[in-house]
Amino acid sequence: MLAETICSAVSAAGLGIAAITAYRKRFLTATRIAAYSLVPVGLVMTGVVEWVAGIVFKPSVWIGFGLLAAAWLLFMTTRAVERRSGSTRKERKAARAAGRDTAVAPGAASPSLTSGAGAAAPQAQDRPKKKPQQAAAPGDDFSDIEAILKKHGI
């Protein structure tokens, strides 16, 4: 009953402010204030205020909110652990897709069903990786670019 009285008083005050604003010839603002001031009375008449008051004063509702917060906390914790492990969902999905798409036996030197561009990839994986050089010679900086340009006839 107290909530309904407060909402009615807020609406009456809002309509009074809207009337003063309209008297000052600011009709668009007055209409907007009147619309906002009718919302509390509308909430009382539809029963939303009573429903909210019922939620606030029930312990079982607060226990439910606590359980939702605990679930959210667990979810966020698992996401943080997943990020720290370095393995994301996209990486695992790509690894599964790569495992299905390849037609190469684990010890094979070349693909059994593909030809052309795919043949060089497994061989490159079998070779040990080179350590990056500390300081490259000045002439080696553009050797890769020169090779690409010569390949294309430029």
Side-chain angles (χ1 to χ4, degrees):
M1 176 102 172
L2 180 64
E4 289 85 359
T5 306
I6 292 171
C7 287
S8 299
V10 167
S11 291
L15 289 174
I17 292 170
I20 292 170
T21 306
Y23 179 74
R24 293 181 180 172
K25 305 233 188 271
R26 298 179 62 194
F27 298 111
L28 186 62
T29 306
T31 305
R32 192 172 295 130
I33 291 171
Y36 281 125
S37 66
L38 292 175
V39 169
V41 172
L43 291 175
V44 167
M45 290 182 156
T46 58
V48 172
V49 172
E50 187 177 330
W51 176 74
V52 170
I55 286 177
V56 170
F57 296 116
K58 283 187 182 177
S60 61
V61 172
W62 287 106
I63 292 171
F65 282 130
L67 290 175
L68 287 174
W72 178 81
L73 184 66
L74 289 172
F75 177 71
M76 296 311 285
T77 303
T78 58
R79 295 288 299 203
V81 169
E82 184 179 59
R83 284 190 194 125
R84 285 187 175 220
S85 68
S87 171
T88 63
R89 204 175 327 164
K90 289 181 183 178
E91 290 173 351
R92 289 192 304 268
K93 194 174 185 180
R96 276 186 297 215
R100 277 185 262 141
D101 292 343
T102 58
V104 179
S110 64
S112 58
L113 298 176
T114 60
S115 62
Q123 292 172 356
Q125 291 174 356
D126 293 340
R127 286 188 230 132
K129 294 182 179 178
K130 295 181 183 178
K131 292 182 181 178
Q133 296 177 349
Q134 296 296 334
D140 291 342
D141 290 343
F142 298 106
S143 62
D144 295 336
I145 297 171
E146 289 173 6
I148 292 170
L149 292 173
K150 285 180 183 177
K151 181 180 173 183
H152 291 289
I154 299 174

